[in-house]
Amino acid sequence: MNKHKVLLAALLVPLGATLAVVPAASAATPSAPAAVSAFADAFAPTGPEGAVVAVFRSPEAALGRVAHPLRTTEPRGDLADLRPFGRMVGDARVVGLGEATHSSHEFVTVKHRILRYLVEEKGFRAFALEAPWSTGLRLDAYLVRGEGDLQQIMDEEFQGTYRWWNNAEYRDLLQWIRAYNVKHPDDPVRFVGDDSGFAGAELYDKVSAYAAAARPDLTPRLTELYRGLRPATDAETYVNDYLSKPLAERKELAERTGRAVSLLKQRPGTDADAHAWAVQHATAIHQMTTLFAFDWDDPQSVPDLMLYRDRVMAENVAWWQQQTGDKIMLAAHNGHIALKTYIPDAYPKVQGDFLRERLGGGYLSVGLTFDHGSFNAFGADGAVHRFAVGPAAPGTAEHTLDRVRYRDFVVDLRNTPATARTWLAAPHTVKNIGATYPGIADAPRIRLSESYDVVIHLQQVEAAHMLK
């Protein structure tokens, strides 16, 4: 695997991996005595007014007091067990749902299930994914209007390091959105690609069409500025070829696409909405060229590159929310949707931090953790492999979470007993498995209460079912 592909893989997650692998274990539910023992750590002395005051000797007992069990991790069936989660969401306009691996079945199916709940019960009308803006446009056209073939779109768009989304679980989620939209044509669920790793031909065509209709005087200039940029190959080939260009040429291309954005921003014309979308499409092109204008061969440039990527992902989500008014469920890696970076030196500020800064309490961060299981990732040889990790080691965040009295549960970290708050405020190692395994920086230590508003913990996950 060439060095650019390695860096592309790293782009999908913060520069972090997981704690050391231990032998895989069975998926058995914790025994009743263990669960009872953890919860029985609580005792209730009587307060001065005769009230019972709960005091918990262990964080798992304290968390068990306020955790809510999940009936299932699968998307079908009754959603009543998600009502406590709905109360946690409150009036949030963007809900970020993370994942501790990029390719595990349960992380996608839980997102599918929560998306159903948010759409049906909380009025959410957009699903945002860590995928290019142009990919989002193609999928949105299929989901809203039935344009194209879903599997062909997934095969063509989910290439390179985005291949993790080309799985049966995401296909099922997208088919559910399409079925919902067929039944609700006047109130559809939209799809947003918020990332900057590729700019498809659709973006150039939409910008050109806008200019031809509203600003024909700009057409010759835009044609020159975009010369040689519109993709004529598949996405993975295009990106690899682009990154093989000399750095000076990549910087010149970014300067050209920046000028295109500036031209479009001038004199918006009579249709403000059409102009706003055209500028956003041009901005997405410029985001890709700017990302690829960093010196990918210089490790010193990595923090700036990563900072830029997360900032524009947040900007794209916020732009969609403000432009359309849609409430959005955002899917990305735990490290992206977190409120604070896992690795400050290499990854200065993350998408969730930017969104909290922009939206305040309008953004809710939900981390998804697991104790043991399997996932797909690139191995050291550059090929896709199925990996497995055993039960979390003592002292890690997952070890404590897995001792809470429920197998799978959701807990609001903003509303926990004192014993839990103390534990949540202390640093603990977490699993942080990205596109490559093992990753670049192992065993990040984070403070859960600083990183997330809510945590969903799953005891076991299994590798997603890749389609290609």
Side-chain angles (χ1 to χ4, degrees):
M1 184 163 64
N2 63 46
K3 62 188 175 184
H4 290 144
K5 186 174 284 189
V6 172
L7 281 166
L8 278 171
L11 270 176
L12 277 172
V13 293
L15 296 179
T18 184
L19 57 156
V21 179
V22 294
S26 70
T29 304
S31 65
V36 171
S37 174
F39 189 66
D41 243 349
F43 63 93
T46 302
E49 302 299 323
V52 175
V53 182
V55 179
F56 300 92
R57 292 187 179 131
S58 69
E60 55 265 35
L63 290 169
R65 178 67 176 171
V66 293
H68 300 274
L70 297 179
R71 179 183 64 82
T72 180
T73 58
E74 293 304 304
R76 302 297 187 265
D78 186 73
L79 301 175
D81 58 312
L82 290 178
R83 288 172 187 159
F85 178 74
R87 292 192 291 271
M88 298 174 199
V89 170
D91 296 327
R93 303 190 299 280
V94 176
V95 173
L97 263 72
E99 58 198 18
T101 82
H102 268 314
S103 190
S104 290
H105 171 87
E106 287 77 7
F107 286 143
V108 183
T109 58
V110 164
K111 286 175 180 160
H112 183 169
R113 192 159 187 263
I114 289 175
L115 177 65
R116 274 189 59 211
Y117 177 83
L118 292 176
V119 168
E120 295 173 5
E121 302 296 334
K122 299 288 287 185
F124 278 61
R125 288 297 181 269
F127 176 76
L129 182 64
E130 191 180 337
W133 184 263
S134 54
T135 297
L137 296 180
R138 285 193 72 187
L139 282 169
D140 189 59
Y142 168 78
L143 297 171
V144 175
R145 298 183 296 277
E147 295 179 10
D149 175 77
L150 176 59
Q151 193 55 59
Q152 181 181 354
I153 295 170
M154 293 178 71
D155 288 345
E156 292 176 355
E157 295 295 332
F158 296 148
Q159 296 188 15
T161 50
Y162 295 110
R163 73 182 63 196
W164 310 117
W165 316 148
N166 196 1
N167 59 51
E169 291 81 3
Y170 264 119
R171 183 180 61 189
D172 190 32
L173 182 153
L174 294 169
Q175 287 172 337
W176 178 84
I177 296 177
R178 177 59 188 152
Y180 180 92
N181 289 345
V182 169
K183 293 179 180 178
H184 305 85
D186 297 327
D187 188 24
V189 176
R190 309 290 300 277
F191 188 97
V192 185
D194 66 9
D195 207 355
S196 55
F198 177 64
E202 298 79 11
L203 297 180
Y204 299 88
D205 295 343
K206 287 181 179 295
V207 171
S208 297
Y210 170 80
R215 294 289 308 278
D217 56 305
L218 293 182
T219 295
R221 186 68 178 129
L222 289 172
T223 300
E224 177 59 25
L225 291 172
Y226 286 149
R227 177 175 43 84
L229 279 168
R230 186 182 185 277
T233 63
D234 66 88
E236 186 170 16
T237 300
Y238 179 90
V239 170
N240 286 335
D241 289 347
Y242 196 104
L243 285 170
S244 296
K245 299 178 188 291
L247 179 61
E249 182 179 350
R250 285 183 273 143
K251 288 184 175 181
E252 191 270 334
L253 290 170
E255 193 273 333
R256 279 166 44 187
T257 59
R259 276 187 277 154
V261 174
S262 296
L263 281 175
L264 284 165
K265 285 183 176 180
Q266 300 169 9
R267 290 187 289 130
T270 57
D271 191 337
D273 187 65
H275 177 257
W277 282 97
V279 170
Q280 175 61 18
H281 298 328
T283 298
I285 295 171
H286 184 53
Q287 288 170 351
M288 184 206 73
T289 59
T290 302
L291 182 73
F292 292 165
F294 286 92
D295 187 351
W296 288 48
D297 296 327
D298 179 9
Q300 298 299 316
S301 72
V302 168
D304 290 337
L305 184 158
M306 297 299 186
L307 178 67
Y308 177 78
R309 181 183 177 229
D310 266 60
R311 178 170 64 79
V312 300
M313 287 198 295
E315 288 175 353
N316 289 337
V317 170
W319 184 90
W320 184 287
Q321 201 286 312
Q322 291 159 6
Q323 179 69 20
T324 67
D326 292 339
K327 292 198 285 188
I328 303 171
M329 192 187 102
L330 163 66
H333 196 275
N334 277 342
H336 286 308
I337 61 93
L339 299 171
K340 188 173 182 180
T341 178
Y342 280 17
I343 308 163
D345 291 342
Y347 219 85
K349 189 172 181 178
V350 293
Q351 183 180 18
D353 195 350
F354 283 112
L355 286 170
R356 175 56 59 85
E357 193 172 80
R358 280 174 166 262
L359 303 177
Y363 174 67
L364 185 82
S365 176
V366 185
L368 270 66
T369 61
F370 76 107
D371 181 66
H372 62 276
S374 59
F375 53 91
N376 303 303
F378 289 123
D381 59 357
V384 174
H385 297 278
R386 181 182 183 277
F387 296 95
V389 293
T396 63
E398 294 88 353
H399 182 264
T400 296
L401 291 171
D402 209 56
R403 289 171 62 81
V404 172
R405 61 176 175 156
Y406 303 118
R407 174 188 174 95
D408 302 323
F409 62 88
V410 56
V411 60
D412 191 335
L413 306 188
R414 302 165 298 179
N415 182 27
T416 60
T419 304
R421 290 199 300 273
T422 299
W423 180 80
L424 292 167
H428 299 283
T429 300
V430 293
K431 292 185 177 76
N432 184 46
I433 300 161
T436 58
Y437 187 79
I440 297 172
D442 290 336
R445 289 172 62 80
I446 69 167
R447 292 172 169 83
L448 284 172
S449 59
E450 293 182 358
S451 300
Y452 306 107
D453 299 306
V454 174
V455 161
I456 295 174
H457 180 74
L458 309 179
Q459 184 186 75
Q460 182 179 12
V461 299
E462 296 295 333
H465 300 87
M466 302 293 289
L467 295 175
K468 193 171 182 179

